[in-house]
Amino acid sequence: MAERKEGVTGSRARSDSQRRNRSRDRVEEEKEELDERVIDITRVAKVVKGGRTFGFRVTAVVGDNAGQVGMGIGKARTVPDAIAKATQRARKDMHPIPLEGTTIPHEVLGVCSGARVMLRPATQGTGVIAGGGVRAVLGAAGVRDVLTKSLGSATAVNVVRATMDALDQLRRVEELAEERGKPVAEVMPFWRRRRS
């Protein structure tokens, strides 16, 4: 009888550990699917009574390369902790953006503080014409063909926020046409107009 009880608890313990392993595997698979990019690592100082305490601020972007992207900022005393915080916040911030094939549906201007970022749709094969933080955000979002111009401030955090603001303003071509009271063919990118 005692042997039977041991067998039951042993099998229960095995099933619990198997369950934990399965959930751990699922989390690892999810991490592998997402594209995590660290854009900026800056040393920051906090002035306190005894002098200054130094830490690090990390700006990170996480995307699935298929129309979902999120941005996060993390601060900590060490760089790995700051990166972990930033990527965790970026995962929570992930939201869908409308794409038109490999590009964006329409031209848009994103603003954050002194930074302004202009995004324009481009024909297939153009590539991502962008630099620094803008390229990282668009790459993680899954945009393959786009023309961009960064105007104003070049502060990495503000440029990334302005790019996210621009992506948040994007809408599907049908919605835009309805809003403007124009036919869909007039609003869609010019290279698609030729085909239809």
Side-chain angles (χ1 to χ4, degrees):
M1 192 105 177
E3 289 172 11
R4 189 186 278 166
K5 283 182 182 175
E6 269 182 41
V8 170
T9 55
S11 66
R12 195 174 292 151
R14 261 186 256 119
S15 67
D16 287 345
S17 67
Q18 287 172 347
R19 216 175 292 127
R20 268 188 246 115
N21 287 341
R22 270 190 240 122
S23 66
R24 195 178 304 133
D25 291 343
R26 237 180 272 127
V27 169
E28 285 173 8
E29 282 175 22
E30 187 181 304
K31 281 184 182 176
E32 287 171 15
E33 288 173 14
L34 296 176
D35 183 7
E36 295 179 359
R37 299 179 188 209
V38 174
I39 295 166
D40 182 46
I41 300 175
T42 310
R43 196 178 83 157
V44 292
K46 179 182 175 186
V47 180
V48 292
K49 189 178 174 184
R52 292 192 196 103
T53 55
F54 293 101
F56 295 92
R57 182 191 67 209
V58 172
T59 308
V61 172
V62 174
D64 65 353
N65 295 319
Q68 282 209 323
V69 69
M71 180 213 131
I73 296 172
K75 287 183 189 175
R77 297 288 295 272
T78 62
V79 174
D81 291 343
I83 290 172
K85 280 184 184 180
T87 52
Q88 185 181 9
R89 286 176 184 155
R91 281 171 187 274
K92 284 183 182 175
D93 184 52
M94 276 181 73
H95 55 278
I97 57 159
L99 295 177
E100 193 69 31
T102 59
T103 189
I104 57 175
H106 55 87
E107 187 178 326
V108 69
L109 180 74
V111 179
C112 176
S113 194
R116 293 181 304 148
V117 173
M118 182 186 67
L119 307 178
R120 272 191 179 160
T123 56
Q124 196 167 3
T126 305
V128 179
I129 310 298
V134 180
R135 176 180 283 274
V137 173
L138 295 173
V143 180
R144 299 280 165 262
D145 303 298
V146 69
L147 301 169
T148 70
K149 180 69 182 166
S150 180
L151 312 157
S153 170
T155 308
V157 176
N158 286 343
V159 168
V160 171
R161 282 184 172 153
T163 307
M164 291 299 291
D165 177 52
L167 292 177
D168 290 341
Q169 291 175 34
L170 290 175
R171 276 159 302 161
R172 288 187 6 258
V173 174
E174 294 80 17
E175 288 176 26
L176 205 63
E178 191 179 308
E179 190 179 291
R180 292 182 184 176
K182 292 185 174 184
V184 176
E186 230 177 276
V187 179
M188 68 173 57
F190 68 90
W191 61 90
R192 282 202 44 217
R193 277 183 235 156
R194 276 186 257 140
R195 280 189 226 144
S196 55

